[in-house]
Amino acid sequence: MKIRRVLATAVALAVTTPAALLSVSPAYADAKPAAQTQEKQSKPTIEELEEAAAEAQKAYDKAAQAKADGIIETRKTLDELSNGTHPLAVALATAEQTAKDAAAAKATADQAVTDAKAALEALPATATEEEKTAAKTALAEAEATAVTAATAQTAADTAVTEANKKVQDARVAAVNAQSVLDKAAEDALAVKVAADAALAKAIKEAEEGEEGEEGGDCEPELDLTSKVTGLPDKLVAGTSTDFSLRVTNGSDRHMDKVLTFVSVHATDTSGLKDTEKFFRLQWSTKSAPKWQNADADDYIDGVGALKPGAHADVKLRLTLDKATPAGNGVAFFAADFFNEDGSCGGAPDLDMYEFDVKAAGSKPGKTEDVKPSTTPRPGNTGTTPQGSASGTPASTGTNGSLAATGSSSATTPIALAGGAAVLLGAAAVFVARRRKTGSDA
């Protein structure tokens, strides 16, 4: 199973340095968010966020169109290279025909040499000097012609090799060019979702009043942990997967009410289309043994109270509709607590698990238990240093209200192509859900 950290620093960057992030080019992949967030930024206004979201939408539309146009052009190029209509393919065919003709000419010349030798050897003892001289001359001319033919064949074969290399290089260049467009579209989508998430959060905060008015005194609790077991690295459409989540209170304080947060997000293979509607997440606990659907806020309230050192297990079942498209997904987990005396808090780490979604009938993945990487997460747990895309701590200028990031250990392109965007949006939604639950606890 592969694990990756949330790439949510882009939320802050999308509204504080939009010019750098809205560039739809390969250069974005090499951007260093940490370097751009060293100085504390003032909180942007809703108007500024709206402008940034609009710019991000335009940039994404441009990148998406470029990607679509690129797909058409790439397919055209590859088809022409395959069916022989591309200029390079025509040149290759010409070179191959020339080589074929050269090979035939060499074979003819070699046979002429053989025949001339045989004619010379077949001269009778009574042959005149003129006949002998003529036979020797014929052999010499045949050998000279054979040498010329051999040289021509070698040159023709070399031309074929070079022409074939040009065709293969053109194939690689076409695919690489498309990869650049794909990456640009992926980056633009990540920025768009980040900007939209930041705007939605700002609007929600404005509606709720001053930031931190409710649930603002909650604090991080490093010893409230959640561990997942049995979640495979591949999920197959049309099947259900059972796994479990153990929540442990490793602190020395009693927790009156513990909630676990479990959320699953997925896209198709392009990374541009959400496929979460095909997923159904259910849970059960010792106190609530009947399977229940996860609510709209993705919080599970069947854990109850936890004494110091105690733990509780949550059984989880993830069902994929048979029509679920193949693609990529992520699941992330966290835990919060709320006490009757008004104190509250939660694990500041958001555990991320990445998985592949396979079409119906595919072979299921492995269920090896792994230790997830932990990433500081947002919400009511106080100001937390934010990570950059390079793994370097950096301030976002958002008072710790955004999810932090870390470098990814995954090599696939969420890669969730556009998967970073899925995580960004999910992290932003998590902020609002966590705040709401905290105020209602």
Side-chain angles (χ1 to χ4, degrees):
M1 185 182 296
K2 295 165 285 186
I3 306 169
R4 63 182 299 157
R5 295 187 177 186
V6 185
L7 303 178
T9 299
V11 175
L13 293 175
V15 297
T16 57
T17 55
L21 288 175
L22 297 177
S23 172
V24 185
S25 71
Y28 174 72
D30 297 324
K32 302 299 182 182
Q36 298 182 31
T37 55
Q38 293 300 320
E39 295 183 5
K40 186 174 182 179
Q41 305 288 338
S42 59
K43 185 177 180 180
T45 65
I46 290 181
E47 290 73 18
E48 291 172 335
L49 293 173
E50 289 175 336
E51 182 179 355
E55 291 178 8
Q57 181 66 58
K58 291 178 182 178
Y60 170 65
D61 290 342
K62 180 180 178 181
Q65 186 60 53
K67 176 181 178 179
D69 293 342
I71 290 175
I72 295 175
E73 186 62 29
T74 298
R75 287 177 178 173
K76 178 183 177 182
T77 298
L78 295 178
D79 287 344
E80 290 178 348
L81 288 171
S82 297
N83 62 31
T85 59
H86 191 280
L88 292 177
V90 172
L92 174 59
T94 300
E96 288 175 337
Q97 183 59 51
T98 299
K100 182 178 179 181
D101 293 342
K106 182 178 182 300
T108 298
D110 289 343
Q111 184 59 49
V113 170
T114 300
D115 293 342
K117 287 181 178 179
L120 179 60
E121 293 173 354
L123 286 175
T126 58
T128 65
E129 288 300 322
E130 291 181 355
E131 290 175 333
K132 293 179 180 180
T133 299
K136 291 178 180 179
T137 299
L139 175 57
E141 291 176 349
E143 290 176 337
T145 300
V147 170
T148 301
T151 301
Q153 183 183 20
T154 299
D157 290 344
T158 299
V160 169
T161 300
E162 293 176 349
N164 186 62
K165 183 178 185 302
K166 289 180 180 180
V167 168
Q168 299 307 318
D169 288 347
R171 292 181 188 276
V172 173
V175 173
N176 287 344
Q178 186 60 47
S179 296
V180 171
L181 294 175
D182 292 347
K183 183 63 170 63
E186 176 186 341
D187 292 338
L189 178 61
V191 173
K192 172 189 174 304
V193 174
D196 290 344
L199 175 60
K201 179 178 179 294
I203 293 176
K204 181 176 179 62
E205 288 180 349
E207 292 174 348
E208 291 179 346
E210 290 296 321
E211 183 177 358
E213 182 176 349
E214 294 186 65
D217 294 329
C218 292
E219 60 186 46
E221 178 49 75
L222 297 173
D223 293 323
L224 179 59
T225 60
S226 53
K227 181 180 179 181
V228 177
T229 56
L231 180 63
D233 60 357
K234 294 182 181 65
L235 300 181
V236 179
T239 66
S240 293
T241 299
D242 290 350
F243 57 105
S244 62
L245 174 69
R246 170 163 291 188
V247 183
T248 302
N249 177 10
S251 72
D252 58 359
R253 74 171 85 183
H254 184 277
M255 298 178 181
D256 295 330
K257 181 179 181 180
V258 175
L259 303 179
T260 58
F261 179 81
V262 181
S263 188
V264 178
H265 301 269
T267 69
D268 62 3
T269 53
S270 73
L272 304 178
K273 182 179 180 181
D274 291 339
T275 58
E276 299 164 24
K277 66 179 181 181
F278 297 100
F279 288 68
R280 183 176 66 159
L281 180 65
Q282 296 176 291
W283 63 272
S284 69
T285 62
K286 185 177 181 179
S287 61
K290 185 178 180 179
W291 285 108
Q292 302 183 48
N293 292 329
D295 62 26
D297 289 332
D298 294 328
Y299 268 100
I300 296 173
D301 59 5
V303 175
L306 280 182
K307 298 178 180 180
H311 67 263
D313 293 320
V314 180
K315 295 180 179 179
L316 297 167
R317 174 172 293 170
L318 187 57
T319 302
L320 279 66
D321 189 273
K322 190 174 182 180
T324 307
N328 304 278
V330 289
F332 54 99
F333 308 86
D336 291 334
F337 74 89
F338 304 91
N339 291 332
E340 294 179 0
D341 62 5
S343 62
C344 57
D349 298 329
L350 195 62
D351 294 338
M352 307 297 302
Y353 293 79
E354 181 182 353
F355 56 84
D356 294 330
V357 179
K358 299 297 182 181
S362 301
K363 185 178 180 180
K366 300 177 181 179
T367 55
E368 298 176 353
D369 294 336
V370 296
K371 294 182 179 180
S373 58
T374 53
T375 302
R377 67 187 175 101
N380 308 342
T381 56
T383 301
T384 304
Q386 308 297 310
S388 71
S390 61
T392 304
S395 170
T396 64
T398 54
N399 297 321
S401 61
L402 301 179
T405 72
S407 59
S408 171
S409 61
T411 57
T412 56
I414 350 190
L416 298 182
V422 174
L423 300 183
L424 291 169
V429 171
F430 167 75
V431 176
R433 289 177 178 171
R434 188 171 186 238
R435 169 169 297 201
K436 178 178 182 298
T437 304
S439 62
D440 293 343

